[in-house]
Amino acid sequence: AALRDADYIFSAYRDHGHALARGMDPKGIMAELFGKFTGCSKGMGGSMHMFDASRGFMGGYGIVGGHVPLASGTAFGSKYLGKDSVTVCFFGEAAANQGVFHETLNLAALWKLPVVFICENNRFGMGTAVERSTAVWDIYHKASAYDMTRQWIDGMDVLEMYRVVKQAVDRARKSNEPTMLEARTYRFRGHSMSDPIHGHYRTKEEVEEQKKSDPILAFGHELLEAGILAQKTIDEMELEIKKIVDESVEFAEHSPEPPADFLYENVYA
């Protein structure tokens, strides 16, 4: 919400939410999950590689930290071409231990690039607690090595996220100054299908306690208390969302598979 249409977004492999928030077609996203030709990446990307250049959504990436330098690439391009576009790069806390993360932050600060790095710290990566894998638990402090503006945010607070990200985006747009943000959040489900819903690395009680801070529910309560929305309106929104999901599934199921000769497209030798 803090971005303009001409801005760029990069995501890691859990990119579905970012794609939807950016305004990508839910039908195209669902068809991509089905591996269909009508998918946003024509069935070639699947779950991890959503893409829509028309919306500045530059993709989800499966290599941990591999997309961080790409984000600085579009930021460099914006500055080089004299545009006021800003790039936002989302990644998990485990990516902050990759060498390419540090190389990129160094160059972003050195060259003063209009990029905002947002670490979605859900504390467990694929299943290892951050205190067992990272010497510096406050991930945002890593940016201090590059004299970069940095801050941590409550990633479960919708309005706080908007406020802080808006400040960082405005800073990048006006002065080409990069920012490192650490959004402290939590995932309620397992990392993947091979990971039990609670995993063996955390307790069921912990997950249930964290669910009380669900940002969607908390924001809904805020809107109700402020008189901005009525419960009836929220209920209608939920029904509309379910309708969109059902229509997207039906669209994906009836979409064609990629043609066999498409296998040879976009192949370079």
Short mmCIF file of all heavy atoms in Angstrom, two decimals, residues 85-129:
data_model
loop_
_atom_site.label_atom_id
_atom_site.label_comp_id
_atom_site.label_asym_id
_atom_site.label_seq_id
_atom_site.Cartn_x
_atom_site.Cartn_y
_atom_site.Cartn_z
N SER A 85 11.44 5.36 -9.19
CA SER A 85 10.90 4.07 -8.75
C SER A 85 11.71 3.53 -7.58
O SER A 85 12.93 3.68 -7.52
CB SER A 85 10.92 3.06 -9.90
OG SER A 85 10.12 3.50 -10.97
N VAL A 86 11.01 2.86 -6.67
CA VAL A 86 11.64 2.25 -5.50
C VAL A 86 11.47 0.73 -5.59
O VAL A 86 10.45 0.24 -6.08
CB VAL A 86 11.00 2.77 -4.20
CG1 VAL A 86 11.52 2.01 -2.98
CG2 VAL A 86 11.27 4.26 -4.05
N THR A 87 12.47 0.00 -5.14
CA THR A 87 12.39 -1.45 -5.10
C THR A 87 12.27 -1.92 -3.66
O THR A 87 12.98 -1.44 -2.78
CB THR A 87 13.64 -2.09 -5.73
OG1 THR A 87 13.73 -1.72 -7.11
CG2 THR A 87 13.59 -3.61 -5.63
N VAL A 88 11.35 -2.87 -3.41
CA VAL A 88 11.21 -3.48 -2.10
C VAL A 88 11.53 -4.96 -2.22
O VAL A 88 11.04 -5.64 -3.13
CB VAL A 88 9.78 -3.29 -1.54
CG1 VAL A 88 9.61 -4.09 -0.25
CG2 VAL A 88 9.50 -1.83 -1.27
N CYS A 89 12.38 -5.45 -1.32
CA CYS A 89 12.82 -6.85 -1.38
C CYS A 89 12.47 -7.56 -0.08
O CYS A 89 12.95 -7.19 1.00
CB CYS A 89 14.33 -6.89 -1.61
SG CYS A 89 14.99 -8.57 -1.72
N PHE A 90 11.62 -8.59 -0.18
CA PHE A 90 11.24 -9.40 0.97
C PHE A 90 12.10 -10.66 1.04
O PHE A 90 12.36 -11.30 0.01
CB PHE A 90 9.78 -9.83 0.86
CG PHE A 90 8.79 -8.70 0.92
CD1 PHE A 90 8.33 -8.09 -0.24
CD2 PHE A 90 8.29 -8.27 2.13
CE1 PHE A 90 7.40 -7.06 -0.20
CE2 PHE A 90 7.35 -7.24 2.20
CZ PHE A 90 6.91 -6.63 1.03
N PHE A 91 12.52 -11.04 2.24
CA PHE A 91 13.27 -12.29 2.41
C PHE A 91 13.14 -12.75 3.85
O PHE A 91 12.76 -11.97 4.74
CB PHE A 91 14.75 -12.09 2.05
CG PHE A 91 15.41 -10.94 2.77
CD1 PHE A 91 16.06 -11.13 3.98
CD2 PHE A 91 15.38 -9.66 2.22
CE1 PHE A 91 16.65 -10.06 4.64
CE2 PHE A 91 15.98 -8.59 2.89
CZ PHE A 91 16.61 -8.79 4.10
N GLY A 92 13.46 -14.00 4.10
CA GLY A 92 13.38 -14.53 5.45
C GLY A 92 14.66 -14.29 6.23
O GLY A 92 15.69 -13.91 5.66
N GLU A 93 14.60 -14.56 7.54
CA GLU A 93 15.77 -14.26 8.38
C GLU A 93 16.98 -15.12 8.03
O GLU A 93 18.13 -14.69 8.21
CB GLU A 93 15.42 -14.42 9.87
CG GLU A 93 15.26 -15.83 10.38
CD GLU A 93 13.90 -16.44 10.11
OE1 GLU A 93 13.05 -15.78 9.46
OE2 GLU A 93 13.67 -17.58 10.55
N ALA A 94 16.75 -16.32 7.50
CA ALA A 94 17.88 -17.18 7.14
C ALA A 94 18.71 -16.59 6.01
O ALA A 94 19.92 -16.81 5.92
CB ALA A 94 17.38 -18.57 6.77
N ALA A 95 18.08 -15.80 5.14
CA ALA A 95 18.80 -15.18 4.02
C ALA A 95 19.83 -14.17 4.51
O ALA A 95 20.80 -13.87 3.82
CB ALA A 95 17.82 -14.51 3.06
N ALA A 96 19.62 -13.64 5.72
CA ALA A 96 20.54 -12.64 6.26
C ALA A 96 21.87 -13.25 6.67
O ALA A 96 22.81 -12.52 7.03
CB ALA A 96 19.91 -11.93 7.45
N ASN A 97 21.98 -14.58 6.61
CA ASN A 97 23.25 -15.25 6.89
C ASN A 97 24.02 -15.58 5.62
O ASN A 97 25.13 -16.12 5.68
CB ASN A 97 23.02 -16.54 7.69
CG ASN A 97 22.58 -16.26 9.11
OD1 ASN A 97 22.94 -15.22 9.67
ND2 ASN A 97 21.82 -17.17 9.70
N GLN A 98 23.44 -15.28 4.47
CA GLN A 98 24.09 -15.56 3.20
C GLN A 98 25.09 -14.46 2.85
O GLN A 98 24.83 -13.27 3.09
CB GLN A 98 23.05 -15.67 2.09
CG GLN A 98 22.03 -16.78 2.29
CD GLN A 98 22.64 -18.16 2.24
OE1 GLN A 98 23.57 -18.42 1.48
NE2 GLN A 98 22.14 -19.06 3.06
N GLY A 99 26.20 -14.84 2.26
CA GLY A 99 27.21 -13.85 1.89
C GLY A 99 26.69 -12.81 0.94
O GLY A 99 27.05 -11.62 1.03
N VAL A 100 25.81 -13.23 0.01
CA VAL A 100 25.31 -12.30 -1.00
C VAL A 100 24.46 -11.20 -0.36
O VAL A 100 24.38 -10.08 -0.89
CB VAL A 100 24.51 -13.07 -2.07
CG1 VAL A 100 23.17 -13.56 -1.52
CG2 VAL A 100 24.31 -12.23 -3.32
N PHE A 101 23.85 -11.47 0.79
CA PHE A 101 23.09 -10.46 1.52
C PHE A 101 24.02 -9.32 1.92
O PHE A 101 23.72 -8.14 1.74
CB PHE A 101 22.43 -11.09 2.75
CG PHE A 101 21.92 -10.11 3.77
CD1 PHE A 101 20.67 -9.53 3.63
CD2 PHE A 101 22.69 -9.79 4.88
CE1 PHE A 101 20.20 -8.63 4.58
CE2 PHE A 101 22.22 -8.90 5.84
CZ PHE A 101 20.97 -8.31 5.68
N HIS A 102 25.17 -9.66 2.47
CA HIS A 102 26.11 -8.64 2.94
C HIS A 102 26.76 -7.89 1.77
O HIS A 102 26.95 -6.67 1.84
CB HIS A 102 27.17 -9.30 3.82
CG HIS A 102 26.59 -9.89 5.07
ND1 HIS A 102 26.33 -9.13 6.20
CD2 HIS A 102 26.17 -11.15 5.36
CE1 HIS A 102 25.79 -9.90 7.13
NE2 HIS A 102 25.69 -11.12 6.65
N GLU A 103 27.09 -8.61 0.72
CA GLU A 103 27.65 -7.94 -0.47
C GLU A 103 26.66 -6.92 -1.02
O GLU A 103 27.04 -5.80 -1.40
CB GLU A 103 27.96 -8.98 -1.55
CG GLU A 103 29.07 -9.95 -1.19
CD GLU A 103 29.25 -11.00 -2.27
OE1 GLU A 103 29.24 -10.62 -3.47
OE2 GLU A 103 29.39 -12.18 -1.94
N THR A 104 25.39 -7.31 -1.06
CA THR A 104 24.38 -6.43 -1.63
C THR A 104 24.12 -5.20 -0.77
O THR A 104 24.04 -4.08 -1.28
CB THR A 104 23.06 -7.21 -1.83
OG1 THR A 104 23.30 -8.33 -2.69
CG2 THR A 104 22.01 -6.32 -2.46
N LEU A 105 24.00 -5.40 0.54
CA LEU A 105 23.78 -4.25 1.42
C LEU A 105 24.96 -3.28 1.35
O LEU A 105 24.77 -2.06 1.39
CB LEU A 105 23.54 -4.70 2.86
CG LEU A 105 22.06 -4.78 3.26
CD1 LEU A 105 21.33 -5.85 2.47
CD2 LEU A 105 21.90 -5.01 4.76
N ASN A 106 26.15 -3.81 1.24
CA ASN A 106 27.33 -2.95 1.13
C ASN A 106 27.25 -2.07 -0.10
O ASN A 106 27.45 -0.85 -0.04
CB ASN A 106 28.60 -3.81 1.08
CG ASN A 106 29.85 -2.97 0.94
OD1 ASN A 106 30.15 -2.12 1.77
ND2 ASN A 106 30.59 -3.18 -0.15
N LEU A 107 26.91 -2.66 -1.25
CA LEU A 107 26.84 -1.88 -2.49
C LEU A 107 25.65 -0.93 -2.49
O LEU A 107 25.73 0.18 -3.00
CB LEU A 107 26.78 -2.82 -3.70
CG LEU A 107 28.08 -3.56 -4.02
CD1 LEU A 107 27.88 -4.49 -5.21
CD2 LEU A 107 29.21 -2.57 -4.31
N ALA A 108 24.52 -1.38 -1.92
CA ALA A 108 23.33 -0.52 -1.87
C ALA A 108 23.62 0.74 -1.07
O ALA A 108 23.18 1.85 -1.43
CB ALA A 108 22.16 -1.27 -1.25
N ALA A 109 24.37 0.60 0.03
CA ALA A 109 24.72 1.75 0.84
C ALA A 109 25.79 2.60 0.16
O ALA A 109 25.72 3.84 0.16
CB ALA A 109 25.21 1.29 2.21
N LEU A 110 26.76 1.92 -0.44
CA LEU A 110 27.86 2.63 -1.11
C LEU A 110 27.38 3.46 -2.29
O LEU A 110 27.77 4.61 -2.47
CB LEU A 110 28.91 1.61 -1.58
CG LEU A 110 30.15 2.17 -2.27
CD1 LEU A 110 30.98 3.00 -1.31
CD2 LEU A 110 30.99 1.03 -2.85
N TRP A 111 26.48 2.87 -3.08
CA TRP A 111 25.99 3.53 -4.30
C TRP A 111 24.70 4.32 -4.05
O TRP A 111 24.16 4.91 -4.98
CB TRP A 111 25.74 2.49 -5.39
CG TRP A 111 27.01 1.86 -5.89
CD1 TRP A 111 28.29 2.33 -5.76
CD2 TRP A 111 27.11 0.62 -6.61
NE1 TRP A 111 29.18 1.47 -6.35
CE2 TRP A 111 28.48 0.42 -6.89
CE3 TRP A 111 26.19 -0.32 -7.05
CZ2 TRP A 111 28.95 -0.70 -7.59
CZ3 TRP A 111 26.65 -1.43 -7.75
CH2 TRP A 111 28.02 -1.62 -8.01
N LYS A 112 24.18 4.28 -2.82
CA LYS A 112 22.94 4.99 -2.45
C LYS A 112 21.81 4.62 -3.41
O LYS A 112 21.36 5.41 -4.24
CB LYS A 112 23.16 6.50 -2.43
CG LYS A 112 24.11 6.96 -1.32
CD LYS A 112 24.11 8.46 -1.17
CE LYS A 112 25.05 8.89 -0.05
NZ LYS A 112 24.67 8.31 1.26
N LEU A 113 21.35 3.40 -3.26
CA LEU A 113 20.31 2.88 -4.15
C LEU A 113 18.93 2.97 -3.49
O LEU A 113 18.79 2.76 -2.28
CB LEU A 113 20.61 1.42 -4.51
CG LEU A 113 21.95 1.18 -5.21
CD1 LEU A 113 22.10 -0.31 -5.52
CD2 LEU A 113 22.05 2.00 -6.50
N PRO A 114 17.89 3.25 -4.28
CA PRO A 114 16.52 3.37 -3.76
C PRO A 114 15.87 2.00 -3.53
O PRO A 114 15.00 1.57 -4.28
CB PRO A 114 15.80 4.16 -4.85
CG PRO A 114 16.51 3.76 -6.11
CD PRO A 114 17.95 3.59 -5.72
N VAL A 115 16.32 1.31 -2.50
CA VAL A 115 15.82 -0.04 -2.22
C VAL A 115 15.53 -0.19 -0.73
O VAL A 115 16.24 0.36 0.12
CB VAL A 115 16.84 -1.12 -2.68
CG1 VAL A 115 18.21 -0.88 -2.05
CG2 VAL A 115 16.34 -2.53 -2.39
N VAL A 116 14.45 -0.91 -0.43
CA VAL A 116 14.07 -1.20 0.95
C VAL A 116 14.12 -2.71 1.15
O VAL A 116 13.42 -3.45 0.46
CB VAL A 116 12.65 -0.68 1.28
CG1 VAL A 116 12.28 -1.02 2.73
CG2 VAL A 116 12.56 0.82 1.03
N PHE A 117 14.97 -3.16 2.05
CA PHE A 117 15.10 -4.58 2.36
C PHE A 117 14.19 -4.89 3.55
O PHE A 117 14.31 -4.28 4.61
CB PHE A 117 16.54 -4.93 2.71
CG PHE A 117 17.53 -4.61 1.63
CD1 PHE A 117 18.33 -3.48 1.70
CD2 PHE A 117 17.66 -5.45 0.52
CE1 PHE A 117 19.25 -3.18 0.71
CE2 PHE A 117 18.58 -5.16 -0.48
CZ PHE A 117 19.37 -4.02 -0.39
N ILE A 118 13.27 -5.85 3.37
CA ILE A 118 12.34 -6.21 4.46
C ILE A 118 12.55 -7.68 4.82
O ILE A 118 12.19 -8.58 4.05
CB ILE A 118 10.88 -5.97 4.08
CG1 ILE A 118 10.66 -4.49 3.72
CG2 ILE A 118 9.96 -6.38 5.23
CD1 ILE A 118 9.23 -4.15 3.36
N CYS A 119 13.13 -7.91 5.98
CA CYS A 119 13.33 -9.27 6.48
C CYS A 119 12.07 -9.71 7.22
O CYS A 119 11.69 -9.10 8.22
CB CYS A 119 14.54 -9.31 7.41
SG CYS A 119 14.76 -10.91 8.22
N GLU A 120 11.43 -10.75 6.73
CA GLU A 120 10.26 -11.33 7.40
C GLU A 120 10.78 -12.39 8.37
O GLU A 120 10.98 -13.55 8.00
CB GLU A 120 9.31 -11.95 6.38
CG GLU A 120 8.74 -10.95 5.39
CD GLU A 120 7.95 -11.61 4.29
OE1 GLU A 120 8.41 -12.61 3.73
OE2 GLU A 120 6.86 -11.11 3.98
N ASN A 121 11.03 -11.98 9.59
CA ASN A 121 11.63 -12.87 10.59
C ASN A 121 10.54 -13.64 11.33
O ASN A 121 9.93 -13.14 12.26
CB ASN A 121 12.48 -12.05 11.57
CG ASN A 121 13.17 -12.93 12.61
OD1 ASN A 121 13.07 -14.15 12.56
ND2 ASN A 121 13.85 -12.30 13.54
N ASN A 122 10.32 -14.89 10.90
CA ASN A 122 9.33 -15.72 11.60
C ASN A 122 9.99 -16.66 12.61
O ASN A 122 9.37 -17.59 13.10
CB ASN A 122 8.45 -16.49 10.61
CG ASN A 122 9.23 -17.50 9.77
OD1 ASN A 122 10.24 -18.02 10.20
ND2 ASN A 122 8.74 -17.78 8.58
N ARG A 123 11.29 -16.45 12.85
CA ARG A 123 12.06 -17.07 13.95
C ARG A 123 12.53 -18.48 13.71
O ARG A 123 13.45 -18.95 14.38
CB ARG A 123 11.25 -17.04 15.26
CG ARG A 123 11.05 -15.67 15.84
CD ARG A 123 10.21 -15.72 17.10
NE ARG A 123 10.55 -16.84 17.95
CZ ARG A 123 9.67 -17.43 18.79
NH1 ARG A 123 8.42 -16.98 18.84
NH2 ARG A 123 10.05 -18.42 19.56
N PHE A 124 11.95 -19.20 12.74
CA PHE A 124 12.28 -20.61 12.62
C PHE A 124 12.81 -21.04 11.25
O PHE A 124 13.14 -22.20 11.07
CB PHE A 124 11.06 -21.48 12.97
CG PHE A 124 10.73 -21.45 14.43
CD1 PHE A 124 9.64 -20.75 14.90
CD2 PHE A 124 11.52 -22.12 15.35
CE1 PHE A 124 9.32 -20.73 16.24
CE2 PHE A 124 11.22 -22.11 16.69
CZ PHE A 124 10.12 -21.41 17.15
N GLY A 125 12.87 -20.15 10.26
CA GLY A 125 13.33 -20.57 8.94
C GLY A 125 12.55 -21.80 8.51
O GLY A 125 11.32 -21.85 8.57
N MET A 126 13.27 -22.84 8.09
CA MET A 126 12.61 -24.10 7.73
C MET A 126 12.28 -24.93 8.96
O MET A 126 11.48 -25.87 8.87
CB MET A 126 13.51 -24.89 6.78
CG MET A 126 13.63 -24.30 5.40
SD MET A 126 14.70 -25.26 4.32
CE MET A 126 13.78 -26.78 4.16
N GLY A 127 12.88 -24.60 10.10
CA GLY A 127 12.60 -25.36 11.30
C GLY A 127 13.66 -25.23 12.37
O GLY A 127 13.64 -25.96 13.37
N THR A 128 14.60 -24.30 12.18
CA THR A 128 15.66 -24.08 13.15
C THR A 128 15.48 -22.71 13.77
O THR A 128 15.43 -21.70 13.06
CB THR A 128 17.05 -24.15 12.48
OG1 THR A 128 17.19 -25.44 11.86
CG2 THR A 128 18.16 -23.96 13.50
N ALA A 129 15.39 -22.66 15.09
CA ALA A 129 15.20 -21.39 15.80
C ALA A 129 16.35 -20.44 15.49
O ALA A 129 17.50 -20.85 15.37
CB ALA A 129 15.11 -21.65 17.30
#
